Amino acid sequence: MAIIKDISQLRNQILCGDTIKTLRVIPDNSVDLIFADPPYNLQLRDELWRPNQTKVDAVNDAWDRFESFDEYDQFSKQWLVECRRVLKEDGVIWVIGSYHNIFRIGKIMQDLGFWIINDIIWIKSNPMPNFRGTRFTNAHETMIFAVKNRDSHYTFHYKSMKAYNDGVQMRSDWDIPICSGEERIRINGQKVHSTQKPEELMRRIIISTSNPGDLILDPFMGSGTTGSVAKLLGRDFIGIERDENYTRVAQERISKVRTLDEDLLDYPLEKRDPRVPFGSLLASGLIYDGETLYSRDRKFHARVLSNATIVSGDAAGSIHQVSALLQGKPNFNGWNFWYVERDGTMVSVDDLRSLFIKKNYQNIGADV
Amino acid sequence: MAIIKDISQLRNQILCGDTIKTLRVIPDNSVDLIFADPPYNLQLRDELWRPNQTKVDAVNDAWDRFESFDEYDQFSKQWLVECRRVLKEDGVIWVIGSYHNIFRIGKIMQDLGFWIINDIIWIKSNPMPNFRGTRFTNAHETMIFAVKNRDSHYTFHYKSMKAYNDGVQMRSDWDIPICSGEERIRINGQKVHSTQKPEELMRRIIISTSNPGDLILDPFMGSGTTGSVAKLLGRDFIGIERDENYTRVAQERISKVRTLDEDLLDYPLEKRDPRVPFGSLLASGLIYDGETLYSRDRKFHARVLSNATIVSGDAAGSIHQVSALLQGKPNFNGWNFWYVERDGTMVSVDDLRSLFIKKNYQNIGADV
DNA sequence: GACTTCCATGAATCGTTAT
DNA sequence: CATAACGATTCATGGAAGT
């Protein structure tokens, strides 16, 4: 099958078929974010029984069986090559796995040119215990967060994730319960998919590394968590799933999701202030020609010339250059260094810049 | 240099030299535990400055520089091959790394035949933050815990680690601060080694997967944390380190350590009950020839023959076989199924087994 | 001495835009 | 495309210094 020319005909669909063959239909450089939850190659040798002689319902599906590491590597390389091709230059990919497969996956990704930004550990607050007492409880899974090239300008909503994490930057260890209760899809009391991922995981991934309207690809769609959260958060998706039953379940699940209102998807926090030259403050009258700037501790001062350069003894130049020179540092952000006196108190020039933005622009989060 | 015949001449020494060449001197199948902290191949490009314009003292040691992934892979494979050769058949290996290298290391280990038991995440309570707001704080490192072959009978002190962890199974995520304060080795206020590991890590590793008197090998000894904790806990060590300065520091550090008294190193908790055949209870008079065994609910009963087999209707065999047959299960632990009557009350045959052990063995934790 | 404030620092793949 | 200018950006801890 040939590559489809217009990707929009695939938007918000689940394509039922072989992952690698189906990926080959998608055009180059066309998706913004990929989330992949490939088979883990678990290699359980025998059935696993709990101490009370009930059988553990483990991942033993045919899709998780491979003859050898080599066969698994071949398969992994093929779908990863296609993923790299369809990913935009500045796109992001996430792959989740466990110690059975993640080392092989990570090595292949590095070899293909993907550049790893983080490995994120999903710490399960309620993992399955180890029944035999033969090893440590396997209480986590590993996600690789990577970009297409070392110099990719990828989306990363740092401030959102920091706010999400109560004001300190989010770390590489994520504490999230496994998918259970209401969220877990069951038919006649039986779980439909053995490795359904929690929506909390997808929410963090989608919010941190994509924008509303972006196109998200999941080459192993399963029960449709990716599509479900993508739709909720106003992103488009393409899912690939080879099992017809899973496909049906996912389609029904996603159809029930309602996208959040736009005002809930637009984050003023992430908007950058427009660039304001220091001279604009002079022209607007917020700072006066010839007045004196002070450092916070009043140890340094400088005079403002009419061309918006400042002079302090032998040092002359932009507010940035002079503040760096005075401190003997290679560079410095002068906006955070200089103050002026207004009604007897010190006012930061950065606050005056915020005031300028507020007066002259609309809906920009200069006061956040 | 030829392989040394008697490993005892290497015990508790740090061999200063190239890792791979020195490993080749160690005999086959001679060490019980390996801990390896290889170079991470960080590939740092530029300097990094904190927001307050101080420079980050990064890892820029020559030992961490490799030309390419391929060169790093070659190096890794060589030392891992030697480690596998010198490891005893039932020995254990731990390797620590970060996303820069751990995927390559893990893949090579699997290819060489090592069998992964766990990947353990060292979660740092106080990692260095991300200064530029470009990614998630890199707040963990990954350790691979593996054995020589899939069917190795490795040491794992499950009960100790459970007790260590306040009575619940220890999980694969370990919360441990980075090495700082008193523990961090400094000379003239400068850290001696850029990547000194916390002793808490080594303590968990050594206690969980080795026994007192075992021989522990560290092919990248650095500042000597492995040797130091090994000596404290009554294990022998061999360290390899190519830097003479590190070697000297490690030797001095280890010389100051005093091994704990023997009674602090012997854990009755871990001693397994001796295997007691059901027939021993007959012979000792704790159970009588011909008496009746009951299931707890008295739904089932069986008669004890003089050859220690039991019979219940058509079912005949060991206490295990018959209990499984009666319940229609593939197998079952008969010790937990059968009861006898003593003075009008039901007594579990497992309690009689414990009684037998208490009478006939010393210092065994049958009552724990 | 008790308490507060300041400062240094740790395995880090750490930027974007205009000229 | 290289270079220069602009300007955005940190958390937990321990020890020193100050009150």
Side-chain angles (χ1 to χ4, degrees):
Chain A
M1 216 162 92
I3 288 182
I4 284 175
K5 280 182 190 148
D6 180 14
I7 188 133
S8 67
Q9 46 183 294
L10 301 179
R11 278 190 187 244
N12 301 319
Q13 288 191 35
I14 303 176
L15 313 175
C16 188
D18 175 77
T19 292
I20 293 164
K21 281 186 195 154
T22 311
L23 278 169
R24 293 197 173 126
V25 166
I26 300 177
D28 297 4
N29 306 308
S30 56
V31 307
D32 299 286
L33 175 62
I34 296 174
F35 175 80
D37 181 11
Y40 283 16
N41 191 24
L42 280 187
Q43 314 164 60
L44 288 180
R45 191 146 43 176
D46 302 307
E47 295 174 334
L48 184 60
W49 293 76
R50 297 192 178 86
N52 66 1
Q53 294 300 309
T54 58
K55 195 176 146 196
V56 173
D57 186 15
V59 177
N60 223 347
D61 310 80
W63 51 256
D64 202 37
R65 291 216 193 96
F66 291 83
E67 284 300 314
S68 63
F69 281 138
D70 193 52
E71 195 189 310
Y72 187 77
D73 291 348
Q74 294 300 324
F75 167 75
S76 303
K77 186 171 171 182
Q78 286 181 58
W79 70 259
L80 280 164
V81 162
E82 293 305 316
C83 279
R84 187 148 186 275
R85 179 183 62 76
V86 305
L87 192 61
K88 288 183 185 171
E89 288 305 317
D90 292 340
V92 168
I93 183 170
W94 292 73
V95 185
I96 186 167
S98 68
Y99 66 84
H100 306 87
N101 69 329
I102 199 66
F103 301 117
R104 316 196 75 81
I105 295 276
K107 194 262 185 188
I108 293 169
M109 287 179 73
Q110 287 182 314
D111 289 348
L112 291 178
F114 284 112
W115 189 251
I116 300 178
I117 304 299
N118 279 116
D119 59 332
I120 299 293
I121 308 299
W122 167 27
I123 296 170
K124 303 176 182 181
S125 47
N126 48 351
M128 195 191 321
N130 176 262
F131 295 118
R132 296 230 162 115
T134 53
R135 57 187 68 195
F136 299 99
T137 310
N138 187 17
H140 73 274
E141 291 184 29
T142 300
M143 293 184 288
I144 296 174
F145 159 25
V147 294
K148 191 160 174 173
N149 299 293
R150 181 166 190 170
D151 54 3
S152 293
H153 297 274
Y154 57 94
T155 297
F156 181 63
H157 292 143
Y158 173 78
K159 290 183 179 175
S160 291
M161 298 316 282
K162 185 173 172 175
Y164 197 118
N165 196 38
D166 294 335
V168 290
Q169 50 181 224
M170 193 169 280
R171 305 165 32 120
S172 55
D173 52 314
W174 294 3
D175 234 305
I176 298 175
I178 60 173
C179 182
S180 64
E182 281 276 303
E183 190 182 324
R184 187 93 198 199
I185 299 174
R186 291 172 202 275
I187 291 182
N188 300 326
Q190 296 288 308
K191 56 189 177 190
V192 166
H193 195 279
S194 50
T195 65
Q196 186 182 340
K197 296 290 172 289
E199 296 193 357
E200 164 82 3
L201 262 188
M202 287 317 304
R203 186 180 268 255
R204 291 195 194 192
I205 289 168
I206 290 176
I207 288 180
S208 62
T209 54
S210 77
N211 291 294
D214 276 2
L215 181 58
I216 301 176
L217 169 67
D218 186 337
F220 306 94
M221 190 69 154
S223 55
T225 308
T226 301
S228 193
V229 180
K231 184 176 176 189
L232 180 81
L233 296 175
R235 276 74 168 172
D236 289 329
F237 68 87
I238 300 174
I240 302 175
E241 174 52 49
R242 72 178 205 184
D243 183 284
E244 289 183 18
N245 188 38
Y246 292 158
T247 303
R248 214 175 308 114
V249 167
Q251 280 167 335
E252 196 187 318
R253 176 181 180 192
I254 295 167
S255 72
K256 290 180 189 157
V257 174
R258 236 192 89 189
T259 300
L260 295 173
D261 287 341
E262 250 181 62
D263 59 326
L264 298 178
L265 299 175
D266 187 41
Y267 310 118
L269 178 65
E270 291 289 354
K271 294 211 169 56
R272 295 181 60 172
D273 288 345
R275 194 177 159 275
V276 176
F278 182 64
S280 300
L281 302 194
L282 274 179
S284 72
L286 285 164
I287 286 183
Y288 317 124
D289 293 301
E291 83 163 314
T292 304
L293 304 183
Y294 301 95
S295 63
R296 192 192 174 92
D297 56 8
R298 285 186 181 260
K299 244 165 58 181
F300 301 107
H301 54 92
R303 194 136 181 271
V304 181
L305 307 190
S306 60
N307 68 346
T309 62
I310 65 176
V311 180
S312 176
D314 292 343
S318 71
I319 53 171
H320 311 296
Q321 291 169 326
V322 175
S323 66
L325 275 168
L326 292 175
Q327 297 176 93
K329 288 182 175 173
N331 51 57
F332 203 83
N333 183 350
W335 290 111
N336 299 323
F337 185 80
W338 297 111
Y339 290 73
V340 292
E341 229 182 77
R342 293 284 179 274
D343 303 326
T345 64
M346 303 274 275
V347 176
S348 157
V349 294
D350 202 44
D351 288 345
L352 295 179
R353 177 170 64 154
S354 298
L355 201 61
F356 179 88
I357 291 167
K358 239 183 187 168
K359 274 185 185 169
N360 296 281
Y361 298 83
Q362 280 202 325
N363 295 328
I364 298 285
D367 50 349
V368 178
Chain B
M1 214 160 94
I3 287 183
I4 284 175
K5 278 178 192 153
D6 180 13
I7 190 138
S8 67
Q9 45 182 298
L10 301 180
R11 277 189 189 245
N12 301 318
Q13 288 191 34
I14 303 176
L15 313 175
C16 188
D18 175 78
T19 292
I20 294 163
K21 283 186 195 154
T22 310
L23 277 170
R24 293 196 174 127
V25 166
I26 300 177
D28 298 5
N29 307 307
S30 56
V31 308
D32 299 286
L33 174 62
I34 296 174
F35 175 80
D37 181 13
Y40 285 13
N41 189 23
L42 284 188
Q43 312 167 66
L44 302 175
R45 195 149 44 178
D46 295 310
E47 297 175 335
L48 178 62
W49 294 75
R50 296 189 174 82
N52 67 1
Q53 297 297 310
T54 60
K55 203 175 133 188
V56 172
D57 181 18
V59 175
N60 54 6
D61 309 76
W63 50 253
D64 198 47
R65 283 197 284 269
F66 293 83
E67 283 299 314
S68 62
F69 279 140
D70 194 52
E71 192 191 308
Y72 185 78
D73 291 349
Q74 294 300 325
F75 167 75
S76 304
K77 187 173 171 183
Q78 287 181 57
W79 70 259
L80 280 164
V81 163
E82 294 305 317
C83 280
R84 188 149 184 274
R85 179 183 62 76
V86 305
L87 192 62
K88 288 184 186 169
E89 289 304 317
D90 292 339
V92 168
I93 182 170
W94 291 73
V95 185
I96 185 167
S98 67
Y99 66 86
H100 310 85
N101 69 327
I102 199 66
F103 302 117
R104 317 194 76 79
I105 295 277
K107 192 262 183 188
I108 292 169
M109 288 180 72
Q110 287 181 314
D111 289 349
L112 291 178
F114 284 113
W115 188 252
I116 300 178
I117 303 299
N118 279 117
D119 58 334
I120 298 294
I121 307 300
W122 167 26
I123 296 171
K124 304 177 182 182
S125 49
N126 49 350
M128 197 190 308
N130 175 271
F131 295 119
R132 306 300 292 264
T134 54
R135 58 187 64 195
F136 299 101
T137 312
N138 187 14
H140 72 275
E141 292 184 27
T142 300
M143 293 184 289
I144 296 174
F145 159 24
V147 293
K148 189 159 175 173
N149 298 294
R150 183 166 186 168
D151 52 4
S152 294
H153 298 279
Y154 57 95
T155 298
F156 181 63
H157 292 144
Y158 173 78
K159 290 181 183 175
S160 291
M161 298 317 282
K162 186 171 173 177
Y164 197 120
N165 196 37
D166 295 334
V168 291
Q169 320 190 317
M170 192 168 279
R171 305 161 34 118
S172 54
D173 52 314
W174 295 2
D175 233 305
I176 297 176
I178 61 173
C179 180
S180 68
E182 282 276 303
E183 189 182 325
R184 188 92 196 199
I185 299 174
R186 291 172 202 278
I187 291 182
N188 300 327
Q190 295 289 308
K191 60 185 176 192
V192 167
H193 196 281
S194 52
T195 71
Q196 188 184 339
K197 295 290 174 288
E199 296 191 358
E200 165 81 4
L201 264 187
M202 286 317 304
R203 184 180 269 253
R204 292 194 193 191
I205 289 168
I206 290 176
I207 289 180
S208 62
T209 54
S210 77
N211 291 296
D214 275 3
L215 181 58
I216 301 176
L217 169 68
D218 186 337
F220 305 93
M221 189 70 152
S223 56
T225 307
T226 301
S228 192
V229 181
K231 184 176 175 190
L232 179 82
L233 296 175
R235 276 73 169 173
D236 289 330
F237 67 87
I238 299 174
I240 302 174
E241 173 53 50
R242 69 179 205 183
D243 183 284
E244 291 183 16
N245 187 39
Y246 293 159
T247 303
R248 214 176 309 115
V249 167
Q251 281 166 335
E252 196 188 319
R253 176 181 181 192
I254 295 167
S255 71
K256 290 181 188 157
V257 174
R258 236 191 90 190
T259 300
L260 295 174
D261 287 341
E262 250 184 59
D263 60 324
L264 298 178
L265 298 175
D266 187 42
Y267 310 118
L269 178 67
E270 289 293 350
K271 296 216 167 53
R272 294 180 61 175
D273 288 348
R275 198 179 156 274
V276 175
F278 183 63
S280 299
L281 302 193
L282 274 178
S284 72
L286 284 164
I287 286 184
Y288 317 124
D289 293 302
E291 85 163 316
T292 303
L293 305 183
Y294 301 94
S295 62
R296 191 192 176 93
D297 56 7
R298 286 184 180 261
K299 246 167 58 184
F300 301 107
H301 53 89
R303 193 135 182 270
V304 181
L305 307 190
S306 60
N307 68 345
T309 62
I310 64 175
V311 180
S312 176
D314 292 342
S318 71
I319 54 170
H320 311 296
Q321 291 170 323
V322 174
S323 67
L325 275 168
L326 293 175
Q327 296 175 95
K329 289 183 175 173
N331 50 58
F332 202 83
N333 181 354
W335 289 110
N336 298 324
F337 187 80
W338 296 112
Y339 290 73
V340 293
E341 228 181 79
R342 292 285 178 276
D343 303 326
T345 64
M346 301 276 273
V347 175
S348 158
V349 294
D350 202 42
D351 288 344
L352 295 179
R353 177 169 64 154
S354 297
L355 201 60
F356 179 88
I357 291 167
K358 243 185 183 163
K359 274 188 185 169
N360 295 283
Y361 297 83
Q362 280 203 324
N363 296 327
I364 297 285
D367 50 350
V368 178

